[in-house]
Amino acid sequence: MASNRIGRINEEIQRELAAQLRGLKDPRVSGVGMVSITRVNTTPDLRYAQVFVSVLDKEQEKDVLKGLKSAAGFLRRELGGELRLRYTPELQFVADDSIAHGAHILELLRSVERRDAEQAGQEDKE
């Protein structure tokens, strides 16, 4: 039952942070292009939240994370005003590579599929 509550809180934090990112004035974050919050993991005591961030331009990912780290206090204060929780979690921003990982797995599956198709074509010739 508690995990369901944590899941709802994670979704709410993700939604609020995504809305706040649009209004952030730090050029390291706002001037990059597409920055998205992919997921949030909050500890059961609601003291810490890992915020997974995906950046379209991978070369600027470190600068975006630095900008978000410097704006973490502001974002936490704004989050505390929007969410009515006993504790507003401390935000820890982490680069999310799940999109790149998914693309790599997809490429591996496609290469296996091509190899199987080539083997089937060779068997038909024999």
Side-chain angles (χ1 to χ4, degrees), residues 5-126:
R5 179 175 184 261
I6 294 292
R8 289 192 321 262
I9 290 172
N10 287 340
E11 290 173 5
E12 198 62 33
I13 290 173
Q14 180 179 353
R15 188 176 307 117
E16 283 300 322
L17 285 178
Q20 290 175 9
L21 281 183
R22 288 185 223 117
L24 207 58
K25 294 180 182 176
D26 192 329
R28 294 175 287 191
V29 178
S30 63
V32 172
M34 189 168 161
V35 177
S36 59
I37 308 288
T38 55
R39 103 179 161 254
V40 175
N41 286 341
T42 307
T43 58
D45 63 355
L46 298 178
R47 298 288 184 167
Y48 299 97
Q50 274 189 324
V51 180
F52 292 89
V53 179
S54 178
V55 182
L56 186 62
D57 188 8
K58 292 298 178 188
E59 287 85 36
Q60 296 178 333
E61 186 172 57
K62 288 189 180 202
D63 288 336
V64 169
L65 289 175
K66 285 180 185 176
L68 288 172
K69 185 177 179 183
S70 70
F74 169 76
L75 292 171
R76 182 179 183 196
R77 188 181 73 231
E78 293 295 314
L79 190 64
E82 291 295 322
L83 302 178
R84 299 293 175 198
L85 297 172
R86 180 174 289 157
Y87 303 111
T88 303
E90 184 179 322
L91 303 174
Q92 300 169 340
F93 294 97
V94 180
D96 188 13
D97 61 346
S98 63
I99 295 172
H101 183 70
H104 175 69
I105 289 175
L106 185 62
E107 182 58 36
L108 289 174
L109 290 172
R110 286 183 179 155
S111 67
V112 168
E113 188 177 78
R114 283 191 296 260
R115 188 185 65 214
D116 289 347
E118 288 174 3
Q119 287 178 355
Q122 289 176 356
E123 288 176 1
D124 289 342
K125 290 180 183 179
E126 292 176 356

